[in-house]
Amino acid sequence: QYFIANWFPLQGTGKRLIGGHAIDITERKNDAQKIAKMHERFTYVVNASSDAIWDLDLRTGEIYRSDAFVKISGYTKEQIEGNLDWWFDKIHPEDKQRVFNKVESQLTNRIQNWEDEYRFLHADGHYIHIYDKGFSIFDNDVPIRQIGSMTDITERKNLETQLLNEQVQKQKLVNQATINAQE
């Protein structure tokens, strides 16, 4: 067990006496150890993931982003602002309204899970494809927090586009071969 103890000399008794009291802080100490262990676990999980973890306080508008967001977006920590507007301004203009409507609908309808794909402006000026998903926390049906993760799916999207183009080219060749055979 853990205690905080305070000792003090007792005056006026003619003898050398010491008084004191102790407070049991075992529960507080155990809680602190549990919190430290959870923090350590969270740090390892975040570092092991290639996803960018985010945590948005809907009451203040402040957002936490893990270090993986720096890798995904190309922006330095100093360039990244800790608010939702900064992120929203980087969404491709053609995707912006759809993403906004989806998030608003999810919050209005008290739906806990949200996910979407959109293009995001990378620091070097090109757009990357992001798969973003989140979980909302409500207090008395009022949304107070969202926690989620972002994944860069640009390579997958590029491969899908390449595959689609190859399929279109093959179909054109088949069509041309069919026309040539008919002629």
Side-chain angles (χ1 to χ4, degrees):
Q1 289 188 327
Y2 297 93
F3 294 92
I4 291 181
N6 293 312
W7 306 105
F8 49 88
L10 294 174
Q11 302 292 331
T13 61
K15 296 182 181 180
R16 291 183 58 147
L17 296 175
I18 297 177
H21 71 280
I23 300 171
D24 185 351
I25 61 164
T26 304
E27 188 174 331
R28 185 184 329 166
K29 189 78 168 169
N30 290 339
D31 289 345
Q33 289 173 343
K34 288 177 188 174
I35 290 170
K37 186 70 173 173
M38 288 173 25
H39 183 267
E40 178 186 31
R41 186 176 294 128
F42 172 77
T43 301
Y44 287 142
V45 168
V46 166
N47 290 336
S49 173
S50 60
D51 290 356
I53 307 300
W54 53 267
D55 182 352
L56 170 63
D57 185 331
L58 293 167
R59 293 168 291 196
T60 65
E62 292 181 52
I63 188 166
Y64 159 81
R65 294 178 181 94
S66 67
D67 291 342
F69 184 75
V70 171
K71 295 175 196 166
I72 288 173
S73 69
Y75 295 97
T76 65
K77 286 183 179 183
E78 294 75 27
Q79 293 173 310
I80 300 169
E81 295 177 22
N83 60 59
L84 197 56
D85 292 335
W86 182 89
W87 162 79
F88 194 66
D89 289 342
K90 305 289 185 259
I91 295 177
H92 192 281
E94 293 175 7
D95 299 338
K96 194 175 289 197
Q97 193 62 50
R98 177 183 46 79
V99 172
F100 178 81
N101 290 344
K102 194 167 189 177
V103 171
E104 282 297 309
S105 173
Q106 178 259 343
L107 292 174
T108 302
N109 295 313
R110 294 173 214 49
I111 300 169
Q112 286 188 315
N113 295 305
W114 172 85
E115 65 181 291
D116 206 348
E117 291 182 12
Y118 54 86
R119 292 165 287 178
F120 186 83
L121 184 62
H122 191 273
D124 67 10
H126 80 283
Y127 282 94
I128 58 174
H129 292 270
I130 296 291
Y131 172 68
D132 199 349
K133 60 184 173 181
F135 177 83
S136 297
I137 299 170
F138 296 86
D139 184 16
N140 294 322
D141 289 335
V142 175
I144 59 168
R145 192 169 168 195
Q146 287 184 311
I147 301 167
S149 65
M150 301 169 70
T151 306
D152 181 354
I153 58 169
T154 304
E155 186 174 335
R156 186 189 87 196
K157 286 294 204 178
N158 290 342
L159 290 173
E160 287 173 359
T161 301
Q162 181 182 350
L163 180 61
L164 183 62
N165 289 339
E166 288 174 5
Q167 288 173 342
V168 167
Q169 289 301 322
K170 286 180 183 177
Q171 188 59 46
K172 284 181 182 179
L173 290 173
V174 168
N175 290 346
Q176 187 60 48
T178 303
I179 291 170
N180 289 345
Q182 288 175 349
E183 290 178 353

